[in-house]
Amino acid sequence: MSTVMRWNQSNRRAGVVLGALLSLSEPSGIAALPSPERAGSIQARDLLPVTLPDLTSMEKAVQEQIGDAQAYVASVLENPNATDVELEEAFGETGQIFHSYDLLEAADVCYRNALEVNPNDFRWWHYRGLIHRAWAQTDRAHVFFARVLELNPEHIPSIVYQAELFLEEGRLPEAEEFFQRALGLDPKSAAAWVGLGQVALLGENYPRAVECLETAIRLVPVATRLHYPLGLAYRGLGNTEKARAHMSLRGPVGVKVTDPLADELEKLQRGERVYLIRGRRAFQAGRFAEAAAAFRESVRAEPGSYRARVNLGSALAALGDEKGAQVEFRRALEINPDSAAAHFNLGHLLARDGLYGEAEDHLRLAVQSRPQDFGARMELADILKAQNALDGALEHYRKAVSLNPTSEQAYLGEIEVLIRTGAFAAARERLEAAHQQFPERGPTAHVLARFLAGCPDRQLRDGTRALDLAARVFEARPSRIHAETVAMAFAELGRCEDASQWQRTAIAIAEKQGEDDILPQLAERLEKYEQGLPCSSSGPR
């Protein structure tokens, strides 16, 4: 299971740095009217309420564990900055806890809610398949296991479960097909050999039944239950001596498919998971020191738990101990090289240190593991942009926009790359589309104003519209860069005196805020405005 904190997601950035536009860099971002960046609102989700039966007959420790799990879900639902990844994992892991205690109705609802957030995570489909198989709802179990195999065609447990369901229904050709499919992926799958032996036995193909069941026993010698069907196969061949011998060896030990997801359920009652849930509750509440302490206890309880180490790393990062966080993320990847969250968080921290090459490697793996993860796409796009790999950055920004059409940041990232590559017409088209979608959002309005005032392609400029947008943005949030944009718009209109006045306003704000490093550049631009027409040519290029 990949449950972990994405510590930086609630405040990835206040806005998009658009320094490439007309050579005006703004290290602090351009956000004037910040807006939430959730990939989808909780209110818009079709989430079902989770109802539990009476738990008073359960041990107090169990009741506390279940209560902690419920409280964790509630804390995520109440957190306006919670990401979809956190919401999905909260429901998914809580479902696992309910599942481990046979609270199947509540577990099924939790898995269903996790899938409402992310329908492409095969884990929750698999668990729903297990539950509906336990309820003897074979039609629905078939549907869920089939969905798993659409998402993960080589998931052997789901292949075998599908085959076993077909076998129970007497659909021998389909059962044989799926058991053979499992063997094609793992020739040593004893469960698949047993299934093929049972298919052959029911089809009265006794030589084939003997071959398959003998193979299964060689693979799992302790599987004494297999001696009974093997005895029946020998009886079908007329070999009564071997039939009696195997019948005498029959016992209670059978064979089941190796299923790591099902095995997870058996581990949920360990101390590791209790501390994990407590730590996540503290993390959601912003109590990072308390969260780190709980996650350390989780690591002590289960040193080989990658999820505990990723969570500990996230808490350390939130506390400012980024080096310690990197150590924990690397240890997590030693245990589970496929942990998307470990790759994401480590990549993010490496990028902050300027180690873009290694950061890119980790973020590519995160995206490969979770292609629908908006945050990972954005982080990878940012890193590619920082390395001037603009074609790749553009690809991932566009994918991020498709994943989250409400993300202003994704639009602005795409637009910045288009501007940097000189695709000005395409940049304006996307800017207009973004402004139409987010008419009240300051960052988009500001970038559009700046573009219309100083685009290198003069045919795309519109000083009148730029002035209207820039003035409204400055009114909403007076700042140095917003004052500069008003000055640019006046300059484009040839109103040099007004441009000079607004440039002086920008300089005054910069002096007040201690932005001494930008003052020479601002003064140089003021001098050009004061020189008079054509002052628009002094607009940044």
Side-chain angles (χ1 to χ4, degrees):
M1 199 179 81
S2 59
T3 302
V4 282
M5 292 298 157
R6 297 275 290 262
W7 69 271
N8 60 310
Q9 285 298 286
S10 63
N11 56 355
R12 289 187 72 250
R13 46 188 163 176
V16 177
V17 177
L18 206 60
L21 179 55
L22 317 176
S23 69
L24 266 181
S25 68
E26 175 57 22
S28 62
I30 61 169
L33 302 174
S35 57
E37 288 292 335
R38 283 292 301 269
S41 67
I42 291 174
Q43 290 76 16
R45 307 277 185 200
D46 184 19
L47 301 178
L48 298 177
V50 181
T51 304
L52 286 173
D54 183 8
L55 304 178
T56 54
S57 62
M58 291 186 168
E59 297 177 9
K60 183 178 180 181
V62 175
Q63 294 181 42
E64 290 178 353
Q65 184 181 12
I66 291 173
D68 284 343
Q70 288 180 289
Y72 172 52
V73 171
S75 69
V76 174
L77 288 170
E78 293 167 1
N79 180 3
N81 293 318
T83 66
D84 278 357
V85 171
E86 291 168 343
L87 183 60
E88 174 197 347
E89 293 291 350
F91 275 117
E93 180 159 295
T94 301
Q96 288 180 302
I97 291 172
F98 294 157
H99 199 163
S100 72
Y101 289 110
D102 287 328
L103 301 172
L104 300 186
E105 291 83 358
D108 193 50
V109 170
C110 285
Y111 297 145
R112 186 254 187 234
N113 285 344
L115 289 167
E116 174 67 21
V117 180
N118 178 15
N120 295 314
D121 194 321
F122 76 91
R123 293 175 296 165
W124 318 131
W125 292 110
H126 185 69
Y127 284 128
R128 293 201 74 191
L130 294 178
I131 288 174
H132 286 266
R133 185 184 182 187
W135 287 338
Q137 295 179 353
T138 55
D139 288 346
R140 292 184 64 78
H142 272 307
V143 169
F144 297 140
F145 289 132
R147 181 62 177 142
V148 172
L149 297 177
E150 289 176 10
L151 297 167
N152 188 354
E154 297 186 356
H155 191 246
I156 292 176
S158 289
I159 295 172
V160 172
Y161 293 146
Q162 282 284 52
E164 290 175 347
L165 288 171
F166 286 132
L167 185 62
E168 292 169 10
E169 295 168 324
R171 299 164 62 179
L172 300 188
E174 293 100 323
E176 183 174 12
E177 175 190 348
F178 273 77
F179 284 129
Q180 288 286 11
R181 181 174 167 183
L183 282 181
L185 296 168
D186 180 10
K188 294 185 177 181
S189 172
W193 281 112
V194 171
L196 285 175
Q198 292 174 320
V199 169
L201 189 60
L202 290 172
E204 298 183 357
N205 185 349
Y206 300 120
R208 176 64 171 161
V210 167
E211 175 191 359
C212 294
L213 292 168
E214 289 278 17
T215 301
I217 288 177
R218 284 196 298 272
L219 290 169
V220 188
V222 297
T224 53
R225 190 183 300 169
L226 301 186
H227 288 288
Y228 180 75
L230 183 54
L232 293 178
Y234 275 116
R235 180 182 296 171
L237 289 173
N239 190 334
T240 56
E241 182 179 349
K242 282 197 171 183
R244 283 196 297 269
H246 282 287
M247 289 292 188
S248 67
L249 293 173
R250 64 182 179 180
V253 180
V255 169
K256 64 178 182 178
V257 65
T258 301
D259 184 353
L261 288 177
D263 293 342
E264 285 283 344
L265 301 177
E266 299 178 6
K267 302 174 183 177
L268 287 172
Q269 298 169 27
R270 295 182 182 178
E272 172 216 357
R273 307 310 283 271
V274 174
Y275 290 119
L276 272 180
I277 292 173
R278 291 175 183 172
R280 280 195 289 273
R281 285 182 62 189
F283 193 104
Q284 284 292 332
R287 303 190 304 271
F288 301 123
E290 180 183 337
F295 293 141
R296 288 190 191 281
E297 290 298 324
S298 185
V299 168
R300 290 191 187 97
E302 184 56 62
S305 169
Y306 77 90
R307 66 181 65 81
R309 292 194 178 277
V310 178
N311 280 304
L312 175 57
S314 298
L316 292 175
L319 289 168
D321 182 5
E322 295 189 2
K323 296 300 182 184
Q326 288 188 34
V327 169
E328 295 303 328
F329 294 143
R330 292 186 189 280
R331 287 175 177 169
L333 289 171
E334 290 173 3
I335 298 168
N336 179 12
D338 297 325
S339 171
H343 282 300
F344 175 89
N345 283 336
L346 180 56
H348 177 84
L349 293 181
L350 291 169
R352 286 166 64 98
D353 288 344
L355 302 173
Y356 295 124
E358 187 181 356
E360 179 186 339
D361 292 340
H362 285 288
L363 286 163
R364 285 193 182 279
L365 289 169
V367 168
Q368 179 180 329
S369 179
R370 297 183 68 100
Q372 306 303 311
D373 190 325
F374 167 79
R377 288 276 182 186
M378 287 291 290
E379 199 77 29
L380 178 56
D382 289 346
I383 284 178
L384 291 171
K385 182 180 66 178
Q387 298 177 92
N388 211 36
L390 300 183
D391 288 343
L394 184 61
E395 173 192 349
H396 289 289
Y397 280 129
R398 284 177 169 167
K399 180 61 177 178
V401 170
S402 70
L403 290 171
N404 183 3
T406 66
S407 171
E408 186 179 28
Q409 291 181 4
Y411 270 104
L412 292 178
E414 177 189 356
I415 291 162
E416 178 182 353
V417 173
L418 289 171
I419 291 171
R420 286 175 60 173
T421 57
F424 300 119
R428 176 166 180 177
E429 180 181 346
R430 295 302 283 163
L431 262 171
E432 296 286 7
H435 182 57
Q436 185 175 3
Q437 182 163 349
F438 316 120
E440 303 301 323
R441 295 190 186 178
T444 300
H446 177 239
V447 175
L448 180 55
R450 209 167 179 79
F451 184 94
L452 294 174
C455 178
D457 185 345
R458 290 180 174 275
Q459 294 182 347
L460 297 174
R461 295 189 187 185
D462 185 339
T464 301
R465 189 155 172 246
L467 179 58
D468 176 64
L469 289 167
R472 287 194 286 119
V473 170
F474 183 85
E475 182 180 1
R477 179 168 295 181
S479 72
R480 184 264 301 172
I481 194 169
H482 295 155
E484 285 185 84
T485 304
V486 176
M488 287 173 59
F490 275 122
E492 174 59 20
L493 291 170
R495 296 169 59 177
C496 303
E497 184 176 343
D498 290 323
S500 299
Q501 178 181 343
W502 276 92
Q503 191 69 8
R504 293 188 194 96
T505 298
I507 291 173
I509 294 174
E511 289 175 339
K512 183 177 181 180
Q513 294 179 345
E515 297 179 289
D516 296 339
D517 57 329
I518 198 71
L519 289 176
Q521 181 181 345
L522 298 177
E524 180 183 355
R525 191 158 297 119
L526 173 61
E527 181 180 353
K528 291 182 178 180
Y529 289 157
E530 290 177 335
Q531 290 173 357
L533 291 172
C535 59
S536 64
S537 64
S538 66
R541 301 292 180 181

